[in-house]
Structures are given as structure tokens and as C-alpha cells.
Amino acid sequence: MFERMNRFLEAAAPRWTETMAWAPLADLYETDDAYVVECELPGLKREDIDVEVSERELCITGELKEREGVLRRATRRSGHFEYRSLLPAEVNSEQVSASLADGILTVTVPKTQATNPRHIEITT
């Protein structure tokens, strides 16, 4: 039984030579008009990042490549990264925008009109 458990754990665990995906630090907050994700991606270029919205999920993926000629230290992450977040159903996925400035990727997912608060006048 011990041998079977070892084989199971070896199959489930990544090999040391494989690159593991990591999740960048990110803040998700809501404004009156949109949901906004600010994701820390220092040192990356636009072409190294992919942003996708499908139905109710926002997915930010990419790869931080090691710099040539630089001694790699354990404190600097490299390799494939992935950030995922579920979104409320009431978003306008056709109007999503993304910008990258000073190592911060900002993704803005507008709300549909139905989700914006609206004052209702009470009549007699």
C-alpha cells in the first residue's frame, strides 16, 4: 500500500524540472459602473499578457521570461502565470478594456445597465 501511495503522490506532484504556474498579486474592486482588476505584472510587455473574458470568468495569463545573462535568484518569479476571477452575470463583456502602465495591468469590466443602482421615484 505504501508503494501505491508513493506512486500516486509522484504522479500528482509536478516534477522539479517543470515550470509551475503562479498567480500575480491583484486587487478586484467595484465602482458604480464597472468591476476593476488591478494586477501587478512588473517587467512584462503587452504582448506577454493575454486577457480573456468568457461568460462569467475573467482570465489573465502570460509568461514572465527569465532575463538572459542574469543570475537567477529564488526571489524573482518567472514562468507561466495565471489569474482567474468569477464575475457577476450582469457584465458587458463586449466593452471590457485593459491597459498596462508602470507594471500594473488594469482590466475594467463594465456593468450592464440593469446592475447600476437607480433611484425610483414614488408616485401616488
Side-chain angles (χ1 to χ4, degrees):
M1 178 159 161
F2 182 71
E3 190 173 315
R4 282 190 299 181
M5 182 61 88
N6 272 344
R7 278 186 279 175
F8 172 76
L9 291 173
E10 286 174 1
R15 307 273 186 259
W16 291 110
T17 57
E18 293 178 6
T19 305
M20 293 178 55
W22 53 275
L25 297 176
D27 290 321
L28 172 63
Y29 60 92
E30 180 180 5
T31 66
D32 289 340
D33 301 323
Y35 299 97
V36 180
V37 174
E38 292 179 342
C39 193
E40 293 184 17
L41 297 171
L44 271 87
K45 300 175 190 154
R46 290 182 329 183
E47 49 274 4
D48 296 329
I49 305 167
D50 186 40
V51 178
E52 289 185 13
V53 175
S54 61
E55 291 191 26
R56 293 192 55 210
E57 185 176 48
L58 170 68
C59 184
I60 301 169
T61 59
E63 186 171 1
L64 179 59
K65 298 177 178 135
E66 290 184 32
R67 293 178 285 177
E68 290 186 32
V70 175
L71 179 63
R72 182 169 183 217
R73 296 184 181 164
T75 57
R76 183 175 187 273
R77 286 190 167 167
S78 63
H80 182 76
F81 65 85
E82 178 176 84
Y83 171 85
R84 291 182 179 273
S85 180
L86 287 178
L87 300 169
E90 306 83 21
V91 297
N92 186 347
S93 61
E94 298 297 317
Q95 298 295 317
V96 174
S97 63
S99 63
L100 181 65
D102 299 324
I104 304 292
L105 174 70
T106 303
V107 180
T108 305
V109 183
K111 296 177 183 177
T112 60
Q113 292 300 321
T115 61
N116 288 335
R118 176 173 82 98
H119 180 74
I120 308 299
E121 186 72 31
I122 300 173
T123 60
T124 56

